[in-house]
């Protein structure tokens, strides 16, 4: 049977300590042992099912990790206190001093800043490439390369990575393919396409209520064990641990993820088609005009659509700011960073979520200062929303 991520989440059944339909929350920072030997064995990594200390793991975090691993089709997963708290340990676990990463040039600004400005202090070099060109990716691989890094759908330009093609390159050169799937949960399943490690910022679509930050690393049991190792694990030693109460909250929100993603995708596709028809420079993977439309279609789990993210280029930062302020005033949504909320969120990434990328490099990758990134909400009547947005655009002269 074809892999269906929502079915995998639905099939998980947990019982609380007293028969509750939600698992009990483990509200403890440390855990007791019946014998001193068991504590020793746990420190050595030889005592399955025993909890040591919440920075290592908790029952609540393991429940959430199990659900996310089921969704992505990996052996297991490890949750963290933020998306960057997932990304940074993975890269530091896989790459050491004197080694090299090949990364997509269009990635989340925080990831870009980590690779561009921070990891060189540790002797780790990164080459940023157009991830859509496999020949360019291959030409950038050296004998010191350890990781290929990309986003399934890139932030903010919505470029689509050929995960199958990148996986073939990773295998050819004995590299690890690490894919950030934050923009396309359920729609794309990178591990099923050949990715070795799949990362999410749980802050976004997966949690869906913009009330917490969180992250996850999905991978093999061996790799997750390495991340959690008390002596050498980057997740354990860097300490970006998710709180048990938050893990429980995210797990409950995951139960509606499939419904939400379908509506996000439906609404975004409607607006993208309308705005493209109006003559606006619109980028959305579901449009046939998108250069990677066919590629996305070949990888996707069809029923969840092409995602909730789209961009419009209105020509200048002044027009972008004027439009966003007016749309917020008219209650279309919020002028705010992040994504995956039930209300539409919009920002000009060149001066916000991608501001870590130097202006000259933004221009080189095609990130104009008039670009607005939209995370389309769960609006019940998206045609009504479109009319309000169109009225705002006419008022300021974009249309």
């Amino acid at each position: 049977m074809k892999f269906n991520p929502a079915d995998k989440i639905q099939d998980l059944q947990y019982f609380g300590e007293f028969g509750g339909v939600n698992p009990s929350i483990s509200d403890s920072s440390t855990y007791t042992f019946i014998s001193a030997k068991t504590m020793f064995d746990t420190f050595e990594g030889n005592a399955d099912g025993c909890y040591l200390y919440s920075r290592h793991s908790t029952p609540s975090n393991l429940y959430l990790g199990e659900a996310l691993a089921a969704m992505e089709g990996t052996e297991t997963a490890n949750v963290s206190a933020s998306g960057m708290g997932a990304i940074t340990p993975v890269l530091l676990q896989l790459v050491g001093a004197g080694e090299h990463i090949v990364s997509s040039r269009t990635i989340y600004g925080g990831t870009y800043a980590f690779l561009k400005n921070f990891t060189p202090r540790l002797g780790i070099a990164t080459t940023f490439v157009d991830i859509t060109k496999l020949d360019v990716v291959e030409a950038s691989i050296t004998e010191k390369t350890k990781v290929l890094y990309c986003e399934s759908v890139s932030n903010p330009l919505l470029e689509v990575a050929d995960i199958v093609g990148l996986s073939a390159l990773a295998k050819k050169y004995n590299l690890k393919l690490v894919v950030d799937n934050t923009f396309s949960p359920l729609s794309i399943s990178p591990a099923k396409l050949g990715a070795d490690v799949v990362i999410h910022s749980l802050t976004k679509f997966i949690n869906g209520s913009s009330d917490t930050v969180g992250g996850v690393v999905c991978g093999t049991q061996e790799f997750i064990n390495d991340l959690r190792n008390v002596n050498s694990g980057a997740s354990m030693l860097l300490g970006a641990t998710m709180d048990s109460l938050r893990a429980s909250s995210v797990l409950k929100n995951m139960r509606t993820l499939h419904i939400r993603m379908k509506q996000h995708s439906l609404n975004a596709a409607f607006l993208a088609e309308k705005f493209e028809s109006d003559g606006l420079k619109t980028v959305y993977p579901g449009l046939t005009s998108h250069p990677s439309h066919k590629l996305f279609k070949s990888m996707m789990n069809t029923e969840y659509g092409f995602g909730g993210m789209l961009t419009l280029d209105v020509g200048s930062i002044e027009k972008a700011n004027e439009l966003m302020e007016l749309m917020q005033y008219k209650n279309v949504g919020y002028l705010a960073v992040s994504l995956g909320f039930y209300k539409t969120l919009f920002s000009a990434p060149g001066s916000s979520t991608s501001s870590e990328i130097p202006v000259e490099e933004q221009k080189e990758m095609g990130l104009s200062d008039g670009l607005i990134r939209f995370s389309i909400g769960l609006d019940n009547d998206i045609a009504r929303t479109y009319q309000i947005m169109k009225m705002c655009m006419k008022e300021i002269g974009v249309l």
Side-chain angles (χ1 to χ4, degrees), residues 39-360:
M39 179 182 281
F40 173 79
D41 288 343
T42 304
F43 266 99
E44 293 295 303
N46 298 323
D48 287 339
C50 291
Y51 298 97
L52 174 66
Y53 183 59
S54 286
R55 179 157 51 87
H56 184 253
S57 77
T58 69
S60 298
N61 289 12
L62 289 177
Y63 282 131
L64 176 58
E66 186 179 25
L68 290 159
M71 180 186 81
E72 287 296 355
T74 61
E75 289 178 0
T76 191
N78 188 57
V79 297
S80 61
S82 71
M84 288 303 293
I87 292 165
T88 54
V90 165
L91 295 174
L92 294 179
Q93 194 73 33
L94 293 173
V95 189
E99 295 176 337
H100 177 244
I101 297 167
V102 175
S103 169
S104 172
R105 64 184 182 177
T106 59
I107 50 175
Y108 170 57
T111 313
Y112 181 92
F114 178 69
L115 293 174
K116 179 85 171 180
N117 305 326
F118 193 90
T119 53
R121 294 158 54 182
L122 306 176
I124 297 169
T126 301
T127 301
F128 295 97
V129 300
D130 182 344
I131 206 71
T132 65
K133 297 177 179 175
L134 292 179
D135 57 336
V136 174
V137 175
E138 184 166 18
S140 302
I141 295 169
T142 73
E143 60 183 15
K144 295 183 178 180
T145 307
K146 296 297 178 184
V147 163
L148 295 182
Y149 183 88
C150 69
E151 297 171 348
S152 302
V153 180
S154 75
N155 185 358
L157 296 183
L158 309 185
E159 293 176 343
V160 180
D162 180 353
I163 298 171
V164 174
L166 291 168
S167 173
L169 284 179
K171 287 177 172 58
K172 181 178 177 181
Y173 293 98
N174 196 29
L175 313 176
K176 295 296 184 186
L177 174 59
V178 179
V179 179
D180 182 336
N181 199 34
T182 298
F183 273 28
S184 45
L186 304 186
S187 293
I188 295 177
S189 301
K192 294 298 180 181
L193 300 168
D196 296 291
V197 180
V198 182
I199 294 169
H200 283 273
S201 169
L202 302 179
T203 313
K204 315 302 193 305
F205 288 111
I206 289 176
N207 186 52
S209 50
S210 289
D211 59 357
T212 190
V213 291
V216 67
V217 181
C218 304
T220 63
Q221 187 70 56
E222 180 183 13
F223 181 61
I224 299 302
N225 286 348
D226 287 346
L227 284 176
R228 288 181 181 148
N229 187 288
V230 294
N231 295 308
S232 59
S235 288
M236 178 66 177
L237 298 175
L238 294 173
T241 308
M242 176 171 269
D243 178 75
S244 290
L245 292 168
R246 282 306 189 188
S248 174
S249 176
V250 176
L251 179 59
K252 281 179 276 196
N253 286 352
M254 275 191 75
R255 300 299 190 176
T256 62
L257 179 61
H258 62 294
I259 301 169
R260 291 186 282 111
M261 287 312 301
K262 289 175 185 180
Q263 192 67 35
H264 284 302
S265 294
L266 187 72
N267 286 351
F270 180 91
L271 291 178
E273 288 167 8
K274 288 289 188 183
F275 288 132
E276 187 173 62
S277 298
D278 290 334
L280 289 170
K281 189 176 178 183
T282 311
V283 176
Y284 181 67
L287 295 173
T288 55
S289 59
H290 191 288
S292 298
H293 173 72
K294 288 182 180 177
L295 172 62
F296 193 114
K297 208 168 181 180
S298 73
M299 297 190 295
M300 74 188 292
N301 299 311
T302 309
E303 66 184 284
Y304 307 106
F306 291 87
M309 305 300 297
L310 65 85
T311 67
L312 297 176
D313 194 331
V314 298
S316 69
I317 188 63
E318 292 77 19
K319 283 291 183 189
N321 290 339
E322 194 178 354
L323 177 59
M324 290 188 295
E325 288 170 6
L326 183 57
M327 287 191 299
Q328 181 167 253
Y329 177 73
K330 295 291 187 181
N331 199 26
V332 169
Y334 297 106
L335 201 177
V337 299
S338 200
L339 49 126
F341 192 40
Y342 72 89
K343 287 277 280 188
T344 293
L345 304 178
F346 32 85
S347 61
S351 55
S352 58
T353 54
S354 296
S355 59
E356 297 93 337
I357 302 172
V359 173
E360 61 275 11

Side-chain angles (χ1 to χ4, degrees), residues 23-45:
S24 302
I25 299 169
S26 175
D27 197 20
S28 295
S29 61
T30 191
Y31 295 83
T32 189
F33 291 89
I34 300 302
S35 73
K37 183 180 185 310
T38 307
M39 179 182 281
F40 173 79
D41 288 343
T42 304
F43 266 99
E44 293 295 303

